[in-house]
Amino acid sequence: MRRRFWLIWSWRDLKRRPVQVIVIALIIAIGTGLATGLSSLKAWRVASNDATLAALRFHDVRATLPEGGDAREGTLERAVRGAPGAAAAREQLVLPTQVDASRAGETVLVPGRIIGQPVEAQPAVDALAAERGRVLRPGDEGRAVGMLDRTFADRRGLPAQTRVRLAGGRELRSVGWAWQPQYLIPAEGSLMAGASAGGFALVFTSLSTAQDLAGRPGRVNQVVVRGRPGVTQAELERQVRAALDRALPGAGATVTRGLDEPAVHVLYQDAEGDQKIWGVLSLLVLLGAALAAYNLTSRTVEAQRREIGIGMALGVEPRRLALRPLLMGAEIAVLGVLLGIALGIPLSAMFRALLESTLPLPELRTPFQTGQFALWAAVGVALPLIGVLLPVRKAVRMTPIEAIRIGFRAAAGGGLAPLLARVSVPGDSLVQMPLRNVVRAPRRTLITVLGIGVILALVVAFSGLIDSFLQPIDRARAEATRNAPGRVTVSLDAFRAADGPQVRAIAAAPAVGAARAQNLLPITLEREGEEIGAALTLLDPARPGWRPSLREGRWGSGVLLARQAARDLGVRVGDRVVVRHPLVTGPGRSRLVRSSVRVDGIHGSTLRPEVYGTPAAWGARTGLTGLANQVEVLPARGSDPDAVIRALFGGDGVASVRAAAAPFDDLDETMDRFLAYIYAVEAFILLVALLVAFNSAAISADERRREHATMFAYGVPRRTVLLQGVAESGIVGLLASLT
């Protein structure tokens, strides 16, 4: 009977303040749901990555011949099978291309890459998976049949069964949307690698078809290897490197561990790095919500102190009087947890959609993180209960007459209000009352300010997070187009003579106003154990055309680095850095070498991989004197980048054509999808701030009902009382904003 009595009484307390109770529970629910969703992203990503790479039998090691190099089919596979730890190997031919997937009413003309590999029923390494259509079958070997990578096809709205034209005018029929582990994050191998899939196309086809399309019959330039059980990737890498050195001395193949692949780096390393950000934001979200709930529950209980004092005066035991508000606090906390579970379902769906949009994987694992929810729910429940326990403990230890005093009079000594007596504050007592009400209960005001302040800090943090994404991109876009907004980059299918017929044909096209041969090389910057993958562009700054701006230094015989790359390497202008780069030793032959060069300057781009040098300084180092694999084009008067792209598509020696601004335009589309969810999270946080402000004002008004009634009895207009409440809330809001 007693238990039922207390439950009924606490239930009546809840019904007396239904709006306040529901708002407090919603604050706990939103804080718990957001914290659980944000902190679950890493677990979901890692579980999805593991399942995907296992299902597609991702390689442990990849060996790639230098730019422009290739080998006879079978040579690379036989070489790596000499490694004791190698269990399976598969040769590939990977080449740049241009993809025309235009349809009626829409032009889709983008650079891309052909990935040719033997078609097997059950590949032992780097299998294909199809989201739509079908995978390639052994019967497709040698036929003009392929698959488009899933992300590109989805972003461009292409059907599974479609036809595309490739550089050289060859046509290929797509039979499905493909996933392959190495290209889960499509990458161009240049400064915008992996940034956007909508502006870059991957075409998977059979090895013999790729050889035919590229005009390289019987040639390959890459091999992927899976190791035997128990063999680490580091050990397999050493074995494969040694095997290639024995079988192909001087080939200069780059051997990359599977865990070091750009796609895997994005999938795993970014998950780890992003989780640090999400973890801090999760903690701040829940801290702000919990502080708000603590403040509101404590003020709700303080409003009951009059009843507690009356109970003590009637001789009721303090522990029994404490039971009623504690039950109410527990019920609010339980309601918050239940609402958190209900809210967690749509939030989980939202974050799952985020993963599908930004990191599309064939195997998604996003189970509800019960452990994470229990952890955050425990924190979210504990603080409101403390918010009940502390004022109850204080109330039952008072004398009845002290406990009966409520509102601002409950603050011993009037808080900081006596200090105002020594400060000249303009206005009469009614004007000063909002400020005096704020300082009479400093602890309460401080907790309210901290609760709202943390939430406002979260809004600022998310706004800063958005700016941190957008501003570097905008600055890089402005840098890339600063003195040549319409420039177009033409990638050649191999190293060609800088004054050869292919380059002259590009320069002579009617849509072309000016052309400049140059080179783009994949490199690695090294210094004191630190390594950075980068792309070295060799251009002549004295010739008409685009050139990067200089923040420090000047053009010389070394390199220009981005400021972030210089910071990461710990170098300044005048220091030296080691560059690992290809050295072309003959037609189709090259090897990797290291050169120690001077840092001549810092360029203006915010993209860390961008590195620049001059052909005069690097010609001998790279063996590219008189050669080029890229042509920079400026449109003729009256022409535009689209006209240049259409004019040069399919030309002799042209692998791909792309406007300099295109990667940034594609990236904008990708960022818009991602930022939509950031805005959604920010909206939830703003909702918490609104709920806190509403409940704080409601409780303050409830506490001052007697004061307001007295003021009305003395003829104070209602608008004056209303303006006092607005002013008091405004002071608290201003303090929270300053905090």
Side-chain angles (χ1 to χ4, degrees):
M1 180 64 182
R2 290 182 178 178
R3 183 180 303 172
R4 186 175 175 220
F5 169 77
W6 289 111
L7 289 174
I8 291 174
W9 200 353
S10 66
W11 175 246
R12 290 179 62 187
D13 288 337
L14 294 178
K15 292 196 297 183
R16 286 173 59 188
R17 302 175 176 83
V19 176
Q20 295 173 7
V21 167
I22 292 174
V23 168
I24 295 172
L26 275 175
I27 290 172
I28 298 173
I30 293 173
T32 303
L34 281 179
T36 302
L38 291 173
S39 59
S40 298
L41 286 174
K42 178 185 175 182
W44 288 343
R45 290 175 67 172
V46 171
S48 300
N49 296 343
D50 291 344
T52 295
L53 297 183
L56 300 183
R57 296 180 285 281
F58 182 51
H59 64 258
D60 293 310
V61 165
R62 171 176 59 87
T64 305
L65 295 179
E67 179 83 12
D70 57 29
R72 185 178 299 278
E73 185 177 343
T75 303
L76 296 179
E77 184 172 348
R78 285 193 299 271
V80 299
R81 286 190 179 277
R90 196 180 193 193
E91 289 181 323
Q92 298 175 335
L93 181 63
V94 182
L95 298 168
T97 189
Q98 189 88 359
V99 178
D100 184 357
S102 302
R103 296 174 295 167
E106 182 181 5
T107 300
V108 180
L109 189 59
V110 299
R113 185 176 295 166
I114 299 172
I115 299 99
Q117 55 199 354
V119 181
E120 303 166 356
Q122 295 292 332
V125 55
D126 282 8
L128 288 170
E131 177 178 329
R132 296 187 184 180
R134 65 172 178 86
V135 297
L136 297 175
R137 298 190 287 251
D140 295 323
E141 185 71 48
R143 300 173 56 205
V145 172
M147 301 178 73
L148 296 177
D149 80 86
R150 178 264 181 200
T151 308
F152 166 75
D154 179 50
R155 298 283 174 86
R156 293 296 188 171
L158 301 177
Q161 309 286 337
T162 188
R163 290 185 176 275
V164 297
R165 291 178 62 232
L166 305 178
R170 301 289 297 274
E171 192 172 87
L172 185 140
R173 180 168 60 90
S174 171
V175 296
W177 292 5
W179 271 297
Q180 193 176 48
Q182 184 178 337
Y183 303 102
L184 289 170
I185 308 297
E188 298 179 48
S190 63
L191 52 101
M192 292 300 293
S196 171
F200 189 79
L202 298 173
V203 180
F204 300 93
T205 188
S206 66
L207 179 58
S208 54
T209 300
Q211 292 167 342
D212 181 52
L213 290 171
R216 299 189 186 186
R219 312 300 291 182
V220 294
N221 60 5
Q222 183 169 281
V223 62
V224 289
V225 186
R226 276 182 67 86
R228 301 183 185 277
V231 178
T232 66
Q233 290 191 357
E235 183 179 357
L236 183 61
E237 177 195 8
R238 290 192 295 271
Q239 294 178 4
V240 168
R241 194 185 302 277
L244 287 172
D245 288 341
R246 290 193 302 269
L248 300 169
T254 301
V255 182
T256 307
R257 302 177 195 176
L259 293 177
D260 293 333
E261 292 285 8
V264 177
H265 178 80
V266 171
L267 292 174
Y268 283 98
Q269 300 301 322
D270 283 8
E272 182 71 30
D274 291 348
Q275 193 57 42
K276 295 177 181 178
I277 299 175
W278 298 131
V280 172
L281 292 177
S282 299
L283 184 60
L284 289 175
V285 166
L286 193 60
L287 178 61
L291 279 174
Y294 167 84
N295 182 47
L296 298 175
T297 51
S298 64
R299 293 181 65 179
T300 300
V301 172
E302 284 181 356
Q304 296 179 346
R305 275 180 28 183
R306 179 181 177 85
E307 300 173 27
I308 293 174
I310 294 173
M312 289 192 296
L314 294 174
V316 181
E317 295 180 50
R319 61 184 182 86
R320 291 191 177 185
L321 292 172
L323 183 59
R324 172 190 165 199
L326 287 175
L327 279 173
M328 185 190 71
E331 289 164 351
I332 293 175
V334 170
L335 179 60
V337 171
L338 294 177
L339 289 176
I341 295 174
L343 186 63
I345 295 174
L347 282 175
S348 295
M350 184 184 79
F351 286 117
R352 177 187 173 90
L354 169 63
L355 290 181
E356 290 178 340
S357 175
T358 57
L359 291 175
L361 300 173
E363 300 287 338
L364 276 177
R365 300 288 187 269
T366 55
F368 185 76
Q369 299 296 305
T370 307
Q372 289 285 350
F373 180 82
L375 172 64
W376 295 119
V379 176
V381 167
L383 282 178
L385 286 178
I386 295 173
V388 174
L389 181 62
L390 292 181
V392 169
R393 180 174 178 272
K394 181 179 180 181
V396 298
R397 298 178 69 178
M398 291 180 176
T399 63
I401 191 62
E402 290 176 327
I404 289 173
R405 297 168 62 192
I406 62 172
F408 67 85
R409 289 181 295 274
L416 301 176
L419 296 178
L420 290 181
R422 304 177 183 178
V423 179
S424 177
V425 179
D428 56 22
S429 58
L430 291 177
V431 174
Q432 297 177 14
M433 190 173 292
L435 180 59
R436 292 184 179 276
N437 287 338
V438 170
V439 299
R440 279 192 178 106
R443 181 187 62 83
R444 177 189 302 173
T445 300
L446 178 61
I447 296 175
T448 303
V449 166
L450 286 177
I452 299 176
V454 169
I455 296 170
L456 292 178
L458 276 171
V459 175
V460 174
F462 270 87
S463 299
L465 185 65
I466 293 170
D467 290 341
S468 70
F469 283 127
L470 298 181
Q471 288 183 0
I473 296 173
D474 291 340
R475 290 199 297 268
R477 185 204 310 270
E479 175 70 15
T481 59
R482 67 183 190 92
N483 61 349
R487 73 185 180 102
V488 173
T489 300
V490 182
S491 296
L492 304 178
D493 59 358
F495 289 108
R496 303 281 187 170
D499 58 352
Q502 292 83 8
V503 176
R504 290 199 303 271
I506 292 171
V512 174
R516 178 178 63 181
Q518 56 189 37
N519 281 288
L520 178 66
L521 302 175
I523 64 170
T524 302
L525 301 171
E526 303 175 351
R527 190 173 191 270
E528 297 180 357
E530 183 72 25
E531 292 188 0
I532 295 177
L536 172 63
T537 301
L538 303 179
L539 57 88
D540 186 353
R543 294 186 58 186
W546 177 87
R547 59 183 177 276
S549 62
L550 287 176
R551 297 290 183 264
E552 296 180 39
R554 60 181 182 178
W555 290 88
S557 60
V559 292
L560 304 179
L561 300 181
R563 188 173 301 278
Q564 188 60 50
R567 288 174 180 169
D568 293 343
L569 292 170
V571 297
R572 294 180 296 181
V573 174
D575 293 341
R576 301 191 72 80
V577 66
V578 174
V579 179
R580 189 167 74 235
H581 60 88
L583 170 63
V584 176
T585 58
R589 299 196 309 274
S590 62
R591 58 189 176 89
L592 290 178
V593 297
R594 284 179 169 83
S595 298
S596 176
V597 299
R598 184 179 183 273
V599 177
D600 291 325
I602 304 298
H603 62 74
S605 177
T606 57
L607 298 178
R608 189 179 77 159
E610 288 187 337
V611 181
Y612 297 96
T614 64
W618 282 87
R621 293 190 185 117
T622 59
L624 294 176
T625 301
L627 299 176
N629 67 351
Q630 194 177 83
V631 180
E632 180 194 81
V633 169
L634 299 180
R637 185 181 300 274
S639 187
D640 58 22
D642 289 339
V644 173
I645 293 172
R646 287 192 296 270
L648 299 182
F649 176 76
D652 182 27
V654 175
S656 65
V657 188
R658 192 173 203 182
F664 303 100
D665 296 335
D666 298 331
L667 190 58
D668 283 342
E669 181 182 350
T670 302
M671 291 303 301
D672 287 343
R673 294 178 179 230
F674 176 73
L675 292 178
Y677 295 92
I678 298 294
Y679 292 134
V681 173
E682 193 172 28
F684 275 106
I685 296 172
L686 286 172
L687 177 59
V688 172
L690 177 62
L691 292 175
V692 171
F694 170 80
N695 234 18
S696 179
I699 293 173
S700 295
D702 187 56
E703 290 174 343
R704 298 191 172 92
R705 284 184 300 173
R706 293 176 180 272
E707 301 167 28
H708 295 164
T710 302
M711 294 168 69
F712 293 150
Y714 278 91
V716 177
R718 293 182 181 274
R719 64 175 179 274
T720 301
V721 176
L722 179 62
L723 288 174
Q724 285 181 343
V726 172
E728 184 178 342
S729 298
I731 293 171
V732 172
L734 178 61
L735 292 174
S737 299
L738 294 175
T739 303

